Amino acid sequence: LSEGRFVSVRKFLHEMPPSDVAHILESSPTKTRDDLWELLDSDFHGDVIEELSEDVRNGIIAKMIPANVVDALEDMDTDDLAETLSSLPDEVLQDILQSMDAQDRHRAEQAMSYGEETAGFIMNTDTITLRPDVSVDVVLRYLRLKGELPENTDTFYVVNRTDNLEGIVPVSRLLTADPEATVSDVMDEEPEAIPVNMPDDEVASMFERYNWLSAPVVDDKHRLVGRITIDDVVDIIREDAEHSMMSMAGLDDEEDTFAPVMQSTKRRSVWLGVNLLTALMAAAVSDLFEATLSQLAVLAILNTIVPSMGGVAGNQTLTLVIRGMALGHVNPSNSRWLIYKELAIGGLNGVIWAVLIASVIAVWKQDLTLGLIIAFAMLMNMIAAALSGATLPIIMKKLRIDPALAGSVILTTITDVVGIFAFLGTATLFLI
Amino acid sequence: LSEGRFVSVRKFLHEMPPSDVAHILESSPTKTRDDLWELLDSDFHGDVIEELSEDVRNGIIAKMIPANVVDALEDMDTDDLAETLSSLPDEVLQDILQSMDAQDRHRAEQAMSYGEETAGFIMNTDTITLRPDVSVDVVLRYLRLKGELPENTDTFYVVNRTDNLEGIVPVSRLLTADPEATVSDVMDEEPEAIPVNMPDDEVASMFERYNWLSAPVVDDKHRLVGRITIDDVVDIIREDAEHSMMSMAGLDDEEDTFAPVMQSTKRRSVWLGVNLLTALMAAAVSDLFEATLSQLAVLAILNTIVPSMGGVAGNQTLTLVIRGMALGHVNPSNSRWLIYKELAIGGLNGVIWAVLIASVIAVWKQDLTLGLIIAFAMLMNMIAAALSGATLPIIMKKLRIDPALAGSVILTTITDVVGIFAFLGTATLFLI
């Protein structure tokens, strides 16, 4: 596409909505991405930057002159501004803040003043507030004078003289209300409000559970400070759900599919290094049985089956419990029940696969004792897998370690070690 | 909690919003769940059923009398009705349809007439339509007469005499518009509309990309048939993102954390069976080298390291590509570039870990040749892992197989076989 036909590509980009341009940038290798960005008129930069994912955005901003970044950020909503700025590396952020005039800098610092991953961080401050004692008619006339409402306004907030939230009025209610009524007649009293420092994943699950489209945000004195709309929450829901999947493979959730080779290699090597350690640990366990292995090569051949089955069964339990915790279904009152249930499944699975593997080995290797030994190891490892798959995430959560990140590698280490010990240990006792 | 204090538990449940009751049911073991359901007044059944996940919902409905189910379903929105009914087993569904009166049955069949996982299936039919030539003032008076608007109404749809969609008017626009203007003056023309048979994951990515709160749904003649609101889309986004994580562990996405033991064991055994086959395949490859293994027990000890590293590296690539495809970033025009990139990372990773493992083995086993052999096998397997991790999902998507479901197991088989062949094969050539 971009073989010299710059003018037409440029025209094409400018006719698209910014989110589509962002999508094209994210689907392009780094070099093409930079070329496309150059073609884009700087008026569009801000709108496109808002829509980019963290990794891609930082890559692009790092290559821009700070003054241009400041221009691009000028018209952003507070929540988008906070997100964009706070994900930047420190030195870039300082450069940009210094290029801003005092008013913009104040706004930027205000937006970043709430901790990342809190309600305050994702909220917008463009609320429309009403006083309880005015009439609907007056409100309607005021709105008509004001013209367009802020994007995604579906609710007006009713506050008293000290900005305390007293009620909410859905936009549609004003349309159907009697013009003579006062705001306090038509408002919903005691609305649910989100504290400004609530973690954003809790905000997301409240939105999901109650099917909200927007919600007011209040500070610790119940004063209205902003609103959160569902389009920002959707991003958090998507990120949260992806986080577990990406972490379980040892990837960063924001990893850009088209990141440069060196950067990707560096990021992924941590996980490979951890895995090498666990693989060496498993090898060290096998090493304890070197004498046994050198007498019976068949044990070496079958040595991987039991650990592999344990790893798969344990990961199933682990994934299920991690998801249950993310959805808020697993809590201290039912976790004991859950562990028993997974143990029962592990035991049942253990019996089924033990019988099956014993039959296969008895036929394949014409050796019933060997079949019984591998069956015993299978049963032990399935139970160990269920126990660690169910308890690890619960323990790790208490220790404030992310179970999605480290759970899988610890689990595999346990099932490898138990599997090899059970198999080679029993074989040493009975066959040598 | 439920030790005889039925009355207070009952009162407690009835004071909660239905979504919280659903959450409690989902967090309870099967027996407690049934007891709680019994305590719940039948007036609440419908609202709670809407909020439950598929597995839990089907379990509860299966135990209800069809006539009671019909009562519970009576006030449901069309989209919730379609979802609830279509996930039921066939015989239960027939019983329920037969217990309905003609009108309800017609409505139910209508709701299910669109394919599952399409826009028609998740849409609601409670749209408010306006004619282009009436004035804003008339519309406002009509709405005031009508009273409350349907839940989550943020847009009115403008249609002509044959129901063709001509434009949209945001609710907030009517508040600020001049009452003398006509609807066609204030509407947005040529709105984006969703075809009724668009797959629901495409609907979700359009909502995400354009930050919509609702969108009109049209049939193939561009006639308005319903609307989709974001609260239904949020569920799809969450399910889609979870689908990959659950499938990669061989679990059903809808699997209920507290399902009965037998049911869970049965569901998970498919995956364990597949894994047993691949583990046996890997054992069969080792079996080819029995003579080598019986001479050198050290090979047996180290045999698991290379396949394990290949599996982890391959799964990283696989996860990244699957996510890239889910987000729509990976397409035919850039997939070749992506494969080259992953191959480069694989090669680089291969060199790094080959050097490291060679040093470890040379020191641990005091054998440089053995170190070089394992290093060579590591390099080969890392490249094979990158190649299969990047190409498998692309090939599987062309063959219309879900890469999240089968990708990981095929990949592990490849990295096991390549790893064992490369390690034991080279060792046989140079050490025996």
Side-chain angles (χ1 to χ4, degrees):
Chain A
L1 251 156
S2 14
E3 291 151 343
R5 297 194 356 245
F6 289 126
V7 182
S8 56
V9 172
R10 183 178 177 139
K11 191 155 165 262
F12 180 66
L13 284 178
H14 287 171
E15 279 167 1
M16 278 183 171
S19 47
D20 286 342
V21 178
H23 187 78
I24 290 181
L25 290 174
E26 297 206 329
S27 309
S28 304
T30 329
K31 226 186 113 4
T32 321
R33 192 182 283 164
D34 293 343
D35 290 346
L36 287 173
W37 185 251
E38 289 292 314
L39 283 178
L40 207 62
D41 200 277
S42 58
D43 290 353
F44 290 81
H45 282 171
D47 293 334
V48 176
I49 282 179
E50 265 180 47
E51 305 284 340
L52 289 171
S53 73
E54 191 176 316
D55 244 33
V56 177
R57 189 171 57 212
N58 290 355
I60 284 180
I61 291 184
K63 288 178 193 146
M64 287 170 75
I65 309 164
N68 291 347
V69 179
V70 172
D71 286 346
L73 300 181
E74 210 143 57
D75 300 322
M76 256 186 207
D77 289 342
T78 29
D79 59 336
D80 294 321
L81 185 67
E83 206 208 323
T84 306
L85 289 179
S86 66
S87 67
L88 291 175
D90 254 359
E91 64 269 45
V92 181
L93 176 62
Q94 290 311 324
D95 280 355
I96 291 174
L97 285 179
Q98 268 160 29
S99 314
M100 282 179 169
D101 60 34
Q103 190 197 337
D104 279 349
R105 185 156 53 231
H106 177 73
R107 194 170 146 252
E109 278 163 354
Q110 180 74 29
M112 287 188 298
S113 66
Y114 301 102
E116 234 177 297
E117 307 191 348
T118 65
F121 193 76
I122 54 172
M123 77 183 181
N124 254 312
T125 51
D126 55 357
T127 50
I128 296 195
T129 55
L130 309 175
R131 288 266 181 267
D133 47 2
V134 295
S135 73
V136 169
D137 192 44
V138 170
V139 173
L140 288 175
R141 267 183 290 154
Y142 161 75
L143 291 174
R144 232 165 261 153
L145 271 177
K146 192 170 157 33
E148 278 288 296
L149 301 180
E151 210 188 346
N152 293 343
T153 296
D154 69 329
T155 312
F156 301 116
Y157 301 103
V158 184
V159 295
N160 65 13
R161 261 157 236 283
T162 52
D163 268 348
N164 293 96
L165 182 66
E166 299 208 325
I168 59 168
V169 182
V171 170
S172 56
R173 173 107 27 103
L174 278 192
L175 287 178
T176 59
D178 173 10
E180 305 295 306
T182 63
V183 166
S184 61
D185 293 338
V186 298
M187 76 182 183
D188 293 331
E189 280 171 64
E190 297 184 26
E192 295 246 29
I194 293 175
V196 73
N197 44 20
M198 181 186 259
D200 62 2
D201 52 340
E202 278 177 42
V203 174
S205 49
M206 290 186 78
F207 267 81
E208 251 191 295
R209 200 179 313 165
Y210 302 116
N211 294 334
W212 289 340
L213 296 188
S214 71
V217 181
V218 293
D219 66 9
D220 49 1
K221 296 198 181 74
H222 208 72
R223 282 183 308 219
L224 182 73
V225 289
R227 65 183 176 118
I228 293 177
T229 49
I230 189 154
D231 53 314
D232 300 312
V233 174
V234 164
D235 296 339
I236 294 166
I237 292 175
R238 156 82 72 190
E239 279 162 26
D240 266 12
E242 268 179 7
H243 168 77
S244 305
M245 171 188 174
M246 299 288 276
S247 311
M248 286 182 87
L251 295 166
D252 194 300
D253 346 350
E254 286 284 338
E255 174 145 356
D256 161 15
T257 320
F258 298 92
V261 172
M262 291 304 294
Q263 189 185 327
S264 300
T265 308
K266 210 172 107 194
R267 283 197 175 176
R268 295 193 204 166
S269 60
V270 181
W271 200 243
L272 286 164
V274 172
N275 184 65
L276 184 64
L277 281 180
T278 73
L280 283 171
M281 206 184 296
V285 175
S286 292
D287 199 42
L288 297 175
F289 299 96
E290 188 171 3
T292 310
L293 284 169
S294 65
Q295 284 178 54
L296 281 170
V298 67
L299 295 180
I301 292 163
L302 303 178
N303 195 17
T304 51
I305 296 175
V306 173
S308 150
M309 292 292 280
V312 169
N315 261 314
Q316 289 185 332
T317 303
L318 185 76
T319 307
L320 202 72
V321 176
I322 289 177
R323 194 195 59 151
M325 294 198 321
L327 294 179
H329 292 166
V330 177
N331 52 50
S333 74
N334 60 21
S335 54
R336 180 180 296 252
W337 190 92
L338 185 63
I339 293 171
Y340 288 145
K341 180 207 144 194
E342 289 297 327
L343 270 178
I345 297 176
L348 195 56
N349 260 330
V351 171
I352 294 171
W353 300 106
V355 170
L356 211 78
I357 191 71
S359 326
V360 170
I361 299 304
V363 173
W364 182 22
K365 293 290 172 193
Q366 297 291 322
D367 187 339
L368 187 60
T369 321
L370 188 62
L372 290 176
I373 290 170
I374 201 168
F376 171 76
M378 183 76 88
L379 181 60
M380 289 296 102
N381 207 21
M382 285 299 207
I383 292 172
L387 189 63
S388 32
T391 51
L392 269 178
I394 295 170
I395 296 170
M396 292 175 87
K397 204 180 171 189
K398 275 197 189 137
L399 302 175
R400 290 166 180 278
I401 305 171
D402 178 3
L405 190 63
S408 173
V409 73
I410 298 180
L411 177 108
T412 316
T413 311
I414 296 175
T415 51
D416 278 359
V417 170
V418 172
I420 295 173
F421 249 115
F423 180 56
L424 294 183
T426 326
T428 310
L429 283 180
F430 290 94
L431 292 180
I432 303 296
Chain B
L1 252 155
S2 16
E3 292 151 343
R5 289 176 24 228
F6 290 126
V7 182
S8 56
V9 172
R10 184 181 177 136
K11 187 152 170 267
F12 181 65
L13 284 178
H14 287 171
E15 278 166 2
M16 279 184 169
S19 47
D20 286 344
V21 179
H23 187 78
I24 291 181
L25 290 175
E26 298 207 329
S27 310
S28 304
T30 330
K31 226 189 115 2
T32 321
R33 194 182 283 162
D34 293 342
D35 291 345
L36 287 174
W37 185 252
E38 289 292 314
L39 283 179
L40 207 62
D41 199 276
S42 58
D43 290 354
F44 289 81
H45 282 170
D47 294 335
V48 175
I49 283 179
E50 264 179 47
E51 306 283 341
L52 290 171
S53 72
E54 191 177 317
D55 245 32
V56 178
R57 188 172 59 212
N58 290 354
I60 285 180
I61 291 185
K63 287 179 195 146
M64 287 171 76
I65 309 165
N68 291 348
V69 178
V70 173
D71 286 346
L73 301 181
E74 210 144 55
D75 300 322
M76 258 188 205
D77 289 340
T78 31
D79 59 336
D80 294 321
L81 184 66
E83 205 207 324
T84 307
L85 288 180
S86 65
S87 68
L88 290 175
D90 254 358
E91 63 269 44
V92 182
L93 177 62
Q94 290 311 324
D95 280 354
I96 291 173
L97 285 179
Q98 270 160 27
S99 316
M100 282 180 169
D101 60 34
Q103 193 198 336
D104 279 350
R105 186 157 52 229
H106 176 74
R107 197 170 144 252
E109 279 162 354
Q110 182 74 28
M112 286 189 298
S113 65
Y114 301 102
E116 234 177 298
E117 308 193 346
T118 64
F121 193 76
I122 52 172
M123 76 183 181
N124 254 312
T125 51
D126 56 356
T127 50
I128 295 193
T129 55
L130 309 174
R131 291 263 181 266
D133 47 2
V134 296
S135 73
V136 169
D137 192 44
V138 171
V139 173
L140 289 176
R141 268 184 289 153
Y142 161 74
L143 292 173
R144 231 165 261 153
L145 271 177
K146 193 167 156 35
E148 277 289 296
L149 301 180
E151 209 188 347
N152 292 345
T153 296
D154 69 329
T155 312
F156 301 117
Y157 301 104
V158 184
V159 295
N160 64 15
R161 261 160 234 284
T162 53
D163 268 348
N164 293 95
L165 182 68
E166 298 207 328
I168 60 169
V169 182
V171 170
S172 56
R173 174 104 29 97
L174 278 192
L175 287 178
T176 58
D178 174 8
E180 304 295 306
T182 64
V183 166
S184 63
D185 293 338
V186 299
M187 74 182 184
D188 293 330
E189 280 171 63
E190 298 184 25
E192 294 245 31
I194 291 175
V196 73
N197 44 20
M198 182 186 257
D200 62 2
D201 53 339
E202 278 178 40
V203 174
S205 49
M206 289 185 78
F207 266 82
E208 251 191 295
R209 200 178 312 164
Y210 302 115
N211 293 334
W212 289 340
L213 296 188
S214 71
V217 181
V218 293
D219 67 9
D220 48 3
K221 295 195 182 73
H222 208 70
R223 283 184 306 221
L224 183 74
V225 290
R227 65 184 178 115
I228 293 177
T229 48
I230 190 155
D231 53 314
D232 300 311
V233 175
V234 164
D235 297 338
I236 294 167
I237 292 175
R238 157 82 71 188
E239 280 163 24
D240 265 12
E242 268 178 7
H243 168 76
S244 305
M245 171 189 173
M246 298 289 275
S247 319
M248 285 181 88
L251 295 167
D252 194 299
D253 346 352
E254 286 285 338
E255 175 144 356
D256 160 17
T257 320
F258 298 92
V261 172
M262 293 301 296
Q263 188 185 329
S264 300
T265 309
K266 211 171 107 194
R267 283 195 176 178
R268 295 188 206 172
S269 60
V270 181
W271 200 244
L272 286 164
V274 171
N275 185 65
L276 184 63
L277 280 180
T278 72
L280 284 171
M281 207 183 299
V285 175
S286 291
D287 199 41
L288 297 175
F289 298 97
E290 189 172 1
T292 311
L293 284 168
S294 64
Q295 282 181 55
L296 280 170
V298 68
L299 295 182
I301 292 161
L302 303 178
N303 196 16
T304 51
I305 297 175
V306 173
S308 151
M309 292 292 280
V312 169
N315 261 315
Q316 289 186 331
T317 303
L318 187 76
T319 306
L320 201 72
V321 175
I322 288 176
R323 193 196 58 151
M325 293 198 321
L327 295 179
H329 292 165
V330 176
N331 51 50
S333 74
N334 58 24
S335 54
R336 181 181 295 253
W337 190 92
L338 184 64
I339 294 171
Y340 287 146
K341 178 206 145 195
E342 288 298 327
L343 271 179
I345 297 176
L348 195 56
N349 260 330
V351 171
I352 295 170
W353 301 106
V355 170
L356 211 79
I357 190 71
S359 327
V360 171
I361 299 303
V363 173
W364 183 20
K365 293 291 170 190
Q366 297 291 322
D367 187 338
L368 186 60
T369 322
L370 188 62
L372 291 177
I373 290 170
I374 202 169
F376 171 77
M378 182 76 87
L379 181 61
M380 290 294 103
N381 207 21
M382 285 300 209
I383 292 173
L387 190 63
S388 32
T391 53
L392 268 178
I394 295 170
I395 295 170
M396 293 175 85
K397 204 182 172 190
K398 275 195 190 139
L399 301 176
R400 291 165 178 280
I401 305 171
D402 178 5
L405 189 63
S408 174
V409 71
I410 299 182
L411 177 109
T412 317
T413 311
I414 295 176
T415 51
D416 278 1
V417 170
V418 172
I420 295 173
F421 248 114
F423 180 55
L424 295 184
T426 327
T428 309
L429 282 180
F430 289 95
L431 293 180
I432 304 295

